Amino acid sequence: MSFNTFGHLFRVTTFGESHGPAIGGVIDGCPPNIRFTLADVQAALDRRRPGQSRFTTQRREPDEVKILSGTLPTEDGGLITTGTPIALLIENVDQRSKDYSEIAASYRPGHADYAYDVKYGIRDHRGGGRSSARETAVRVAAGAIAAKVLSGVTIRGALVGMGEIDIDRDRWDWDEIGRNPFFCPDAEAAGRMENYLDGIRKSGSSVGAVLEVVAEGIPAGLGAPLYGKLDADLAAALMSINAVKGVEIGEGFASARLTGEQNADEMRMGNDGKPIFLANHAGGILGGISTGQPIVVRFAVKPTSSILTPRQTVTRHGENAEIFTKGRHDPCVGIRAVPVGEAMVACVMADHLLRHRGQTGDNTSWPFPR
Amino acid sequence: MSFNTFGHLFRVTTFGESHGPAIGGVIDGCPPNIRFTLADVQAALDRRRPGQSRFTTQRREPDEVKILSGTLPTEDGGLITTGTPIALLIENVDQRSKDYSEIAASYRPGHADYAYDVKYGIRDHRGGGRSSARETAVRVAAGAIAAKVLSGVTIRGALVGMGEIDIDRDRWDWDEIGRNPFFCPDAEAAGRMENYLDGIRKSGSSVGAVLEVVAEGIPAGLGAPLYGKLDADLAAALMSINAVKGVEIGEGFASARLTGEQNADEMRMGNDGKPIFLANHAGGILGGISTGQPIVVRFAVKPTSSILTPRQTVTRHGENAEIFTKGRHDPCVGIRAVPVGEAMVACVMADHLLRHRGQTGDNTSWPFPR
Amino acid sequence: MSFNTFGHLFRVTTFGESHGPAIGGVIDGCPPNIRFTLADVQAALDRRRPGQSRFTTQRREPDEVKILSGTLPTEDGGLITTGTPIALLIENVDQRSKDYSEIAASYRPGHADYAYDVKYGIRDHRGGGRSSARETAVRVAAGAIAAKVLSGVTIRGALVGMGEIDIDRDRWDWDEIGRNPFFCPDAEAAGRMENYLDGIRKSGSSVGAVLEVVAEGIPAGLGAPLYGKLDADLAAALMSINAVKGVEIGEGFASARLTGEQNADEMRMGNDGKPIFLANHAGGILGGISTGQPIVVRFAVKPTSSILTPRQTVTRHGENAEIFTKGRHDPCVGIRAVPVGEAMVACVMADHLLRHRGQTGDNTSWPFPR
Amino acid sequence: MSFNTFGHLFRVTTFGESHGPAIGGVIDGCPPNIRFTLADVQAALDRRRPGQSRFTTQRREPDEVKILSGTLPTEDGGLITTGTPIALLIENVDQRSKDYSEIAASYRPGHADYAYDVKYGIRDHRGGGRSSARETAVRVAAGAIAAKVLSGVTIRGALVGMGEIDIDRDRWDWDEIGRNPFFCPDAEAAGRMENYLDGIRKSGSSVGAVLEVVAEGIPAGLGAPLYGKLDADLAAALMSINAVKGVEIGEGFASARLTGEQNADEMRMGNDGKPIFLANHAGGILGGISTGQPIVVRFAVKPTSSILTPRQTVTRHGENAEIFTKGRHDPCVGIRAVPVGEAMVACVMADHLLRHRGQTGDNTSWPFPR
């Protein structure tokens, strides 16, 4: 991927630092005549917005998105895309004027501070600068528009593990996602997470999480055999989110423990003349191409690096030091990564939909070869 | 990534099917004046070459690479790059003329057969066509040249898990890699794998594997903050290898279980004026940028889909059927993925080296900011 | 080139329509530690700004640029780049609320109206939408930053022909550029252009122009042999400007009339150990690579399509109609294309500088091979 | 454009030097199910092949193309694309073992020798290496396949000027193209060119040419507003051909002399419900998007730089010298550029066809907006 752009036909470029005047982005290549409303985009942003429970950073950002180009107003108060680039702008409001001199001088372990300084020789340290999770708001806004391109497709994410607590997949209920502050589909696990994360939060510590995104309704045929594999682009897209350290498709790492017999998703003819898969170990992708089954992706988010416990570090000037991070932080940054993951999956799918119909001329999937 | 190209400045494009006349590729953007020998490339290919033990497919391919462009001969019998595109050609020799009519008609579960047919409406089914692992030979050849661009860097891969057997990291010995047919760094585990895989092989089954690649000597500063994150490009590159279902960096999925304290790689000043990290949970990458620590990547390879046990499937014509795969296959295709993973890491690192010095003008890393 | 992005390492993406809330863009891949001031960018914009003489559209736009990201303030009131994306924003102020219903319904000959409607099935017709010359303000702002990357390089443009009037190259004086409203380097021709264009303007007509951009101080070695030829990228960049219909390098079309003897730029050794070219028919580029001579590019701008004389056309609904364009327009849109051409050349050169040092590791040119 | 790749969805990468073992390329992204024959490709190559008249280089190259991948044989002896990368290989046969020591040491004026050496510090000087016109054979082969993607489209090129001789457009007859060795559509001018070029050839000199390519049948709607303008991509594609120094669309540079009234292509409704343009000054492109009129592009080719008359130059070692080029050369390299220009136009059009249907989902053009 380019430095700050991803996608091939449906392309998203983002910009902005945590404490600059604004963050934003440009969607290029969006099909024309796609209808959406600002409220659609805002609703997506609100799911990611900080400060909605005690488990996310208390930074207060309205995250109000402005669309500067690429659309026309519709008669019913909505917007319609024109095929030209769509610019998104979100102003930074709550750039609390705190003292950042310490993190300007010392490298926070687990943060990008040192790496940025070595790479660029200069760094906007305020609030993490470009590496702030704040940038993900733009991804969510772009994903909301990508989702409109994918008519008939449902993309939903869930938190399936937090620190030591895993969900029980037998209790999976998508409706639970909206009933707890963790996007957790298992009500019982969500209850335990609440206590667990309160403890983490009060001790000024943090913890990681595993998230899962499922895309249903993706037609068979999207993707490409090798370097343009659907799973390769999904992996890059998810790994590009701050703090993500692992990505897997379908069985993922567990597939290493399976035999060929166990891993084979057998097929039968359905009554509607379409094939039915008897399992989905593949996570909806074979040979880099979608099979028509749900696309299932998981990714791991490391614990927030900003913690209250002092850690050993060095300064810009080559001296040993200790550092701990005051300020507002998510005890589990993975929670808010759920809508971000959904957005990235939506953008990748929209891109591959356009690429597929570009190469093949087909707008729809079909059960069997022409 | 594009359909069949990866990389931004050091770009690799591959072509070829399992049973066509040849496979090959083009490296574009390679720096000039890089010296290498055909023997260097051949040695890398030989590590991946099938038929070297009873645990890999018995297809006999000499995998002799020809270099058609982009180099000049040197006085000592080697080659030197000129900066123009380097074309690699490997002829297919052992395209055994077997009967492929069954897999032409029926979709093998776990294979890309169905997905290809839906996408393209046409498919070269002989030996898997484009989806054959044979394509990875070109990656290995390209990686051997990328490795020459990365002077001072050592990139090594190992198999760290096969089916139910995991290695013991305390017994890790890089020298063991060459002493067993599995690229396994744990001699004791390798012994158990031999018995285990013999059983799998004799029963006509297959099994998955987990591989790890470590790049040492990568200077701090390679990569980019977000969409061009070093880990995003590594994830895409590894996920683009056939049968790979998961990728993780450093602690990877295990980081979800850690606290911020556990995950922080603390720093101290070294005697040489360079910072020392006290741990490497990050796997050598923070904020998408290399830290100067070893880059550590793991990826999961699913079991070979070609198995002797009949599986339920459907035909091109929409009928239920059963299928099993005769022919020559790897009982654990993950084994030969070790040199492929090394090659992909080398290509990504070479690309990011060029990108970094393009943007910043620096040829070297340095311990502290300018 | 992508839809709305150009460049490979120094990448510029633009967005915005004539009558939307704002236009803007994102520069990605800019080197860090480049110092510039808002005043530098504003000065470049002011050269392109409309309403400065009676020969440009009377639309009143302050063209005040805001920089939203990618820089830090310096102690002396300037800015310094951090290596992250630089977002540029220019608000649209004077979107005069005129009646656009006629051009919404009828296709103006010579305009993009019909082509947009066929392509997208929808069109922002107000002020020309995306096809408005207003977009070029963003190019100029980006070019001002690109120019800072190119230390030691001077890039200057001039109008060398307008309608029937050509300059006399023997009278070329760069100082004249700023003394007439045409960026014309020939004072005598500028005087005649003034009368000529007054006539064109008063009759509600328009006329085309030929512009020339010269880049001095470009080191030898930038570019690439074939598809990445410096002249190929220059041609695309200049042709991407509204209303440009032709591009040529050095002798350009005139080279077709030359013999090999006439066209050869002979070389002699200079006293400083560097080669001297005895002519510059090549326009500073041979084989796609800069030679160290000045880069010389010319491009032709067609007459403004908006004219007062009624022209035959058809409506969106398939009826014959007549149309003429009221409103504010440039009688010679080519005049304001001079700073736009300079900006595009600057962006292409900055991109190739980064690409060259990425591939070769060299920061400087040198007179003879290593 | 990348170094050696062009196109966005229909992508062509080429490799190879004049005196290496082979030249070739890879077409990536070609739609599946496109039927063609090797004879189609060969016929295109034969038009470009040297040695067919006394007016082209006497190098004898059969230019026999091999297709290594991406196709399957059809029952009628043809080929059908599978959607995977198509590799093209053309072996170099007549690499006459002449003495190249002089051009290894001295830079030929007008050639890329010096620029290559400065850029790369190394150069394959034999026959011009990568800068040899030999590379264009691959473009022609790729263009032959692109042409098959463009069903219903006719792309034809012609030589419209050679040195001092211009054609008379009133005598334009496409049938004449095949009746003279110059691809000249004006029989009378072709006769004069024969005498003229004989004189040039016998004196060991060379001369430039102007070529025109016309694409008929391109539907309205291909292209994109700004950086992805159809004309921008055409300009880059044609400028990427060796020795090309200028490109223009429609009226091109002549449009600078026109008024808005003269330049407006007025429209009337046709009897079939489609609009008719009353002129084609625009060359079939407005605002970067095709209008449905014929696309008309012209490009200028400079005189062959290899001439018999000694020219002043310098050596690699910084000494003054004289050089003249023995060996086999085209007295007017522009002649053979006709099929190359056609091929580049075909590739650009195929790419934009795929991009257009990718973004908009439309496979066909239509007269009026949806």
Side-chain angles (χ1 to χ4, degrees), chain A residues 153-175:
Chain A
V153 173
T154 303
I155 297 175
R156 291 182 292 193
L159 181 146
V160 299
M162 177 197 288
E164 299 157 8
I165 305 174
D166 290 329
I167 66 157
D168 180 341
R169 290 185 161 264
D170 291 336
R171 283 195 298 259
W172 190 297
D173 179 357
W174 281 112
D175 291 338

PDB file of all heavy atoms in Angstrom, chain A residues 153-175:
ATOM      1  N   VAL A 153     -25.225  -6.354   1.305  1.00  0.00           N
ATOM      2  CA  VAL A 153     -24.162  -6.926   2.123  1.00  0.00           C
ATOM      3  C   VAL A 153     -24.298  -6.411   3.555  1.00  0.00           C
ATOM      4  O   VAL A 153     -24.598  -5.239   3.770  1.00  0.00           O
ATOM      5  CB  VAL A 153     -22.782  -6.539   1.551  1.00  0.00           C
ATOM      6  CG1 VAL A 153     -21.658  -6.969   2.482  1.00  0.00           C
ATOM      7  CG2 VAL A 153     -22.598  -7.124   0.161  1.00  0.00           C
ATOM      8  N   THR A 154     -24.103  -7.290   4.527  1.00  0.00           N
ATOM      9  CA  THR A 154     -24.111  -6.898   5.941  1.00  0.00           C
ATOM     10  C   THR A 154     -22.733  -7.154   6.522  1.00  0.00           C
ATOM     11  O   THR A 154     -22.224  -8.279   6.440  1.00  0.00           O
ATOM     12  CB  THR A 154     -25.144  -7.734   6.724  1.00  0.00           C
ATOM     13  OG1 THR A 154     -26.416  -7.566   6.112  1.00  0.00           O
ATOM     14  CG2 THR A 154     -25.211  -7.291   8.179  1.00  0.00           C
ATOM     15  N   ILE A 155     -22.136  -6.121   7.080  1.00  0.00           N
ATOM     16  CA  ILE A 155     -20.813  -6.272   7.682  1.00  0.00           C
ATOM     17  C   ILE A 155     -20.917  -5.912   9.148  1.00  0.00           C
ATOM     18  O   ILE A 155     -21.298  -4.786   9.496  1.00  0.00           O
ATOM     19  CB  ILE A 155     -19.781  -5.381   6.961  1.00  0.00           C
ATOM     20  CG1 ILE A 155     -19.647  -5.831   5.504  1.00  0.00           C
ATOM     21  CG2 ILE A 155     -18.440  -5.428   7.674  1.00  0.00           C
ATOM     22  CD1 ILE A 155     -18.752  -4.944   4.659  1.00  0.00           C
ATOM     23  N   ARG A 156     -20.631  -6.868  10.011  1.00  0.00           N
ATOM     24  CA  ARG A 156     -20.752  -6.639  11.447  1.00  0.00           C
ATOM     25  C   ARG A 156     -19.518  -7.126  12.180  1.00  0.00           C
ATOM     26  O   ARG A 156     -18.965  -8.181  11.834  1.00  0.00           O
ATOM     27  CB  ARG A 156     -21.962  -7.404  11.994  1.00  0.00           C
ATOM     28  CG  ARG A 156     -23.281  -6.853  11.519  1.00  0.00           C
ATOM     29  CD  ARG A 156     -24.439  -7.604  12.123  1.00  0.00           C
ATOM     30  NE  ARG A 156     -24.500  -8.973  11.606  1.00  0.00           N
ATOM     31  CZ  ARG A 156     -25.551  -9.787  11.758  1.00  0.00           C
ATOM     32  NH1 ARG A 156     -26.607  -9.371  12.430  1.00  0.00           N
ATOM     33  NH2 ARG A 156     -25.541 -11.002  11.253  1.00  0.00           N
ATOM     34  N   GLY A 157     -19.120  -6.395  13.196  1.00  0.00           N
ATOM     35  CA  GLY A 157     -17.970  -6.781  13.991  1.00  0.00           C
ATOM     36  C   GLY A 157     -18.347  -7.055  15.423  1.00  0.00           C
ATOM     37  O   GLY A 157     -19.377  -6.577  15.914  1.00  0.00           O
ATOM     38  N   ALA A 158     -17.476  -7.799  16.088  1.00  0.00           N
ATOM     39  CA  ALA A 158     -17.714  -8.134  17.488  1.00  0.00           C
ATOM     40  C   ALA A 158     -16.378  -8.301  18.196  1.00  0.00           C
ATOM     41  O   ALA A 158     -15.379  -8.659  17.569  1.00  0.00           O
ATOM     42  CB  ALA A 158     -18.509  -9.429  17.591  1.00  0.00           C
ATOM     43  N   LEU A 159     -16.406  -8.040  19.496  1.00  0.00           N
ATOM     44  CA  LEU A 159     -15.233  -8.321  20.315  1.00  0.00           C
ATOM     45  C   LEU A 159     -15.384  -9.746  20.850  1.00  0.00           C
ATOM     46  O   LEU A 159     -16.381 -10.056  21.508  1.00  0.00           O
ATOM     47  CB  LEU A 159     -15.162  -7.290  21.452  1.00  0.00           C
ATOM     48  CG  LEU A 159     -13.986  -7.395  22.424  1.00  0.00           C
ATOM     49  CD1 LEU A 159     -13.569  -5.993  22.900  1.00  0.00           C
ATOM     50  CD2 LEU A 159     -14.344  -8.256  23.618  1.00  0.00           C
ATOM     51  N   VAL A 160     -14.417 -10.600  20.534  1.00  0.00           N
ATOM     52  CA  VAL A 160     -14.564 -12.010  20.925  1.00  0.00           C
ATOM     53  C   VAL A 160     -13.602 -12.426  22.033  1.00  0.00           C
ATOM     54  O   VAL A 160     -13.681 -13.555  22.531  1.00  0.00           O
ATOM     55  CB  VAL A 160     -14.411 -12.944  19.701  1.00  0.00           C
ATOM     56  CG1 VAL A 160     -15.498 -12.630  18.670  1.00  0.00           C
ATOM     57  CG2 VAL A 160     -13.031 -12.827  19.073  1.00  0.00           C
ATOM     58  N   GLY A 161     -12.709 -11.542  22.394  1.00  0.00           N
ATOM     59  CA  GLY A 161     -11.813 -11.840  23.510  1.00  0.00           C
ATOM     60  C   GLY A 161     -11.234 -10.547  24.052  1.00  0.00           C
ATOM     61  O   GLY A 161     -10.979  -9.602  23.289  1.00  0.00           O
ATOM     62  N   MET A 162     -11.090 -10.483  25.367  1.00  0.00           N
ATOM     63  CA  MET A 162     -10.457  -9.312  25.994  1.00  0.00           C
ATOM     64  C   MET A 162      -9.574  -9.830  27.112  1.00  0.00           C
ATOM     65  O   MET A 162     -10.069 -10.453  28.054  1.00  0.00           O
ATOM     66  CB  MET A 162     -11.518  -8.382  26.571  1.00  0.00           C
ATOM     67  CG  MET A 162     -10.920  -7.187  27.304  1.00  0.00           C
ATOM     68  SD  MET A 162     -12.132  -6.396  28.380  1.00  0.00           S
ATOM     69  CE  MET A 162     -13.193  -5.623  27.190  1.00  0.00           C
ATOM     70  N   GLY A 163      -8.296  -9.588  26.982  1.00  0.00           N
ATOM     71  CA  GLY A 163      -7.373 -10.090  27.985  1.00  0.00           C
ATOM     72  C   GLY A 163      -7.574 -11.571  28.204  1.00  0.00           C
ATOM     73  O   GLY A 163      -7.511 -12.355  27.249  1.00  0.00           O
ATOM     74  N   GLU A 164      -7.872 -11.960  29.438  1.00  0.00           N
ATOM     75  CA  GLU A 164      -7.996 -13.383  29.756  1.00  0.00           C
ATOM     76  C   GLU A 164      -9.379 -13.942  29.437  1.00  0.00           C
ATOM     77  O   GLU A 164      -9.602 -15.147  29.579  1.00  0.00           O
ATOM     78  CB  GLU A 164      -7.721 -13.585  31.253  1.00  0.00           C
ATOM     79  CG  GLU A 164      -6.316 -13.164  31.666  1.00  0.00           C
ATOM     80  CD  GLU A 164      -6.256 -12.828  33.155  1.00  0.00           C
ATOM     81  OE1 GLU A 164      -7.270 -13.070  33.852  1.00  0.00           O
ATOM     82  OE2 GLU A 164      -5.221 -12.316  33.597  1.00  0.00           O
ATOM     83  N   ILE A 165     -10.305 -13.085  29.045  1.00  0.00           N
ATOM     84  CA  ILE A 165     -11.693 -13.525  28.877  1.00  0.00           C
ATOM     85  C   ILE A 165     -12.053 -13.755  27.411  1.00  0.00           C
ATOM     86  O   ILE A 165     -11.955 -12.843  26.598  1.00  0.00           O
ATOM     87  CB  ILE A 165     -12.668 -12.479  29.475  1.00  0.00           C
ATOM     88  CG1 ILE A 165     -12.302 -12.207  30.934  1.00  0.00           C
ATOM     89  CG2 ILE A 165     -14.117 -12.942  29.327  1.00  0.00           C
ATOM     90  CD1 ILE A 165     -13.101 -11.095  31.574  1.00  0.00           C
ATOM     91  N   ASP A 166     -12.425 -14.962  27.081  1.00  0.00           N
ATOM     92  CA  ASP A 166     -12.907 -15.270  25.734  1.00  0.00           C
ATOM     93  C   ASP A 166     -14.420 -15.443  25.775  1.00  0.00           C
ATOM     94  O   ASP A 166     -14.988 -15.843  26.785  1.00  0.00           O
ATOM     95  CB  ASP A 166     -12.290 -16.585  25.231  1.00  0.00           C
ATOM     96  CG  ASP A 166     -10.811 -16.433  24.958  1.00  0.00           C
ATOM     97  OD1 ASP A 166     -10.395 -15.320  24.573  1.00  0.00           O
ATOM     98  OD2 ASP A 166     -10.069 -17.416  25.143  1.00  0.00           O
ATOM     99  N   ILE A 167     -15.063 -15.166  24.659  1.00  0.00           N
ATOM    100  CA  ILE A 167     -16.502 -15.421  24.610  1.00  0.00           C
ATOM    101  C   ILE A 167     -16.750 -16.909  24.387  1.00  0.00           C
ATOM    102  O   ILE A 167     -15.847 -17.658  23.990  1.00  0.00           O
ATOM    103  CB  ILE A 167     -17.187 -14.630  23.470  1.00  0.00           C
ATOM    104  CG1 ILE A 167     -16.689 -15.130  22.095  1.00  0.00           C
ATOM    105  CG2 ILE A 167     -16.981 -13.133  23.622  1.00  0.00           C
ATOM    106  CD1 ILE A 167     -17.660 -14.836  20.977  1.00  0.00           C
ATOM    107  N   ASP A 168     -17.969 -17.321  24.646  1.00  0.00           N
ATOM    108  CA  ASP A 168     -18.411 -18.667  24.294  1.00  0.00           C
ATOM    109  C   ASP A 168     -19.223 -18.537  23.005  1.00  0.00           C
ATOM    110  O   ASP A 168     -20.269 -17.901  22.976  1.00  0.00           O
ATOM    111  CB  ASP A 168     -19.290 -19.216  25.427  1.00  0.00           C
ATOM    112  CG  ASP A 168     -19.786 -20.620  25.128  1.00  0.00           C
ATOM    113  OD1 ASP A 168     -19.776 -21.031  23.938  1.00  0.00           O
ATOM    114  OD2 ASP A 168     -20.188 -21.304  26.079  1.00  0.00           O
ATOM    115  N   ARG A 169     -18.700 -19.143  21.931  1.00  0.00           N
ATOM    116  CA  ARG A 169     -19.346 -18.943  20.623  1.00  0.00           C
ATOM    117  C   ARG A 169     -20.767 -19.518  20.579  1.00  0.00           C
ATOM    118  O   ARG A 169     -21.562 -19.111  19.737  1.00  0.00           O
ATOM    119  CB  ARG A 169     -18.491 -19.560  19.518  1.00  0.00           C
ATOM    120  CG  ARG A 169     -17.218 -18.764  19.328  1.00  0.00           C
ATOM    121  CD  ARG A 169     -16.353 -19.235  18.178  1.00  0.00           C
ATOM    122  NE  ARG A 169     -15.453 -18.130  17.858  1.00  0.00           N
ATOM    123  CZ  ARG A 169     -15.665 -17.242  16.901  1.00  0.00           C
ATOM    124  NH1 ARG A 169     -16.736 -17.337  16.137  1.00  0.00           N
ATOM    125  NH2 ARG A 169     -14.822 -16.252  16.706  1.00  0.00           N
ATOM    126  N   ASP A 170     -21.037 -20.443  21.467  1.00  0.00           N
ATOM    127  CA  ASP A 170     -22.406 -20.995  21.493  1.00  0.00           C
ATOM    128  C   ASP A 170     -23.413 -19.965  22.002  1.00  0.00           C
ATOM    129  O   ASP A 170     -24.609 -20.119  21.790  1.00  0.00           O
ATOM    130  CB  ASP A 170     -22.459 -22.238  22.385  1.00  0.00           C
ATOM    131  CG  ASP A 170     -21.688 -23.389  21.765  1.00  0.00           C
ATOM    132  OD1 ASP A 170     -21.526 -23.381  20.522  1.00  0.00           O
ATOM    133  OD2 ASP A 170     -21.244 -24.273  22.512  1.00  0.00           O
ATOM    134  N   ARG A 171     -22.920 -18.960  22.676  1.00  0.00           N
ATOM    135  CA  ARG A 171     -23.828 -17.928  23.179  1.00  0.00           C
ATOM    136  C   ARG A 171     -23.882 -16.706  22.255  1.00  0.00           C
ATOM    137  O   ARG A 171     -24.410 -15.662  22.613  1.00  0.00           O
ATOM    138  CB  ARG A 171     -23.395 -17.475  24.583  1.00  0.00           C
ATOM    139  CG  ARG A 171     -23.758 -18.460  25.689  1.00  0.00           C
ATOM    140  CD  ARG A 171     -23.646 -17.818  27.060  1.00  0.00           C
ATOM    141  NE  ARG A 171     -22.306 -17.373  27.370  1.00  0.00           N
ATOM    142  CZ  ARG A 171     -21.451 -18.041  28.152  1.00  0.00           C
ATOM    143  NH1 ARG A 171     -21.815 -19.160  28.752  1.00  0.00           N
ATOM    144  NH2 ARG A 171     -20.235 -17.581  28.352  1.00  0.00           N
ATOM    145  N   TRP A 172     -23.241 -16.816  21.078  1.00  0.00           N
ATOM    146  CA  TRP A 172     -23.150 -15.662  20.159  1.00  0.00           C
ATOM    147  C   TRP A 172     -24.544 -15.145  19.803  1.00  0.00           C
ATOM    148  O   TRP A 172     -25.390 -15.880  19.314  1.00  0.00           O
ATOM    149  CB  TRP A 172     -22.423 -16.078  18.878  1.00  0.00           C
ATOM    150  CG  TRP A 172     -22.074 -14.927  17.982  1.00  0.00           C
ATOM    151  CD1 TRP A 172     -22.933 -14.078  17.354  1.00  0.00           C
ATOM    152  CD2 TRP A 172     -20.762 -14.515  17.626  1.00  0.00           C
ATOM    153  NE1 TRP A 172     -22.232 -13.161  16.627  1.00  0.00           N
ATOM    154  CE2 TRP A 172     -20.884 -13.397  16.762  1.00  0.00           C
ATOM    155  CE3 TRP A 172     -19.480 -14.961  17.944  1.00  0.00           C
ATOM    156  CZ2 TRP A 172     -19.785 -12.753  16.221  1.00  0.00           C
ATOM    157  CZ3 TRP A 172     -18.389 -14.329  17.397  1.00  0.00           C
ATOM    158  CH2 TRP A 172     -18.534 -13.218  16.541  1.00  0.00           C
ATOM    159  N   ASP A 173     -24.766 -13.891  20.054  1.00  0.00           N
ATOM    160  CA  ASP A 173     -26.035 -13.240  19.703  1.00  0.00           C
ATOM    161  C   ASP A 173     -25.709 -11.837  19.200  1.00  0.00           C
ATOM    162  O   ASP A 173     -25.273 -10.981  19.971  1.00  0.00           O
ATOM    163  CB  ASP A 173     -26.929 -13.179  20.962  1.00  0.00           C
ATOM    164  CG  ASP A 173     -28.254 -12.488  20.674  1.00  0.00           C
ATOM    165  OD1 ASP A 173     -28.465 -12.009  19.531  1.00  0.00           O
ATOM    166  OD2 ASP A 173     -29.078 -12.423  21.607  1.00  0.00           O
ATOM    167  N   TRP A 174     -25.938 -11.614  17.921  1.00  0.00           N
ATOM    168  CA  TRP A 174     -25.574 -10.305  17.359  1.00  0.00           C
ATOM    169  C   TRP A 174     -26.325  -9.176  18.058  1.00  0.00           C
ATOM    170  O   TRP A 174     -25.841  -8.052  18.135  1.00  0.00           O
ATOM    171  CB  TRP A 174     -25.880 -10.266  15.857  1.00  0.00           C
ATOM    172  CG  TRP A 174     -24.848 -10.945  14.987  1.00  0.00           C
ATOM    173  CD1 TRP A 174     -24.997 -12.088  14.270  1.00  0.00           C
ATOM    174  CD2 TRP A 174     -23.496 -10.505  14.748  1.00  0.00           C
ATOM    175  NE1 TRP A 174     -23.837 -12.399  13.594  1.00  0.00           N
ATOM    176  CE2 TRP A 174     -22.895 -11.437  13.865  1.00  0.00           C
ATOM    177  CE3 TRP A 174     -22.724  -9.424  15.198  1.00  0.00           C
ATOM    178  CZ2 TRP A 174     -21.582 -11.317  13.421  1.00  0.00           C
ATOM    179  CZ3 TRP A 174     -21.406  -9.302  14.744  1.00  0.00           C
ATOM    180  CH2 TRP A 174     -20.852 -10.245  13.881  1.00  0.00           C
ATOM    181  N   ASP A 175     -27.497  -9.477  18.561  1.00  0.00           N
ATOM    182  CA  ASP A 175     -28.261  -8.416  19.222  1.00  0.00           C
ATOM    183  C   ASP A 175     -27.576  -7.915  20.495  1.00  0.00           C
ATOM    184  O   ASP A 175     -27.816  -6.792  20.939  1.00  0.00           O
ATOM    185  CB  ASP A 175     -29.676  -8.904  19.557  1.00  0.00           C
ATOM    186  CG  ASP A 175     -30.500  -9.101  18.297  1.00  0.00           C
ATOM    187  OD1 ASP A 175     -30.153  -8.494  17.259  1.00  0.00           O
ATOM    188  OD2 ASP A 175     -31.476  -9.869  18.351  1.00  0.00           O
TER     189      ASP A 175
END
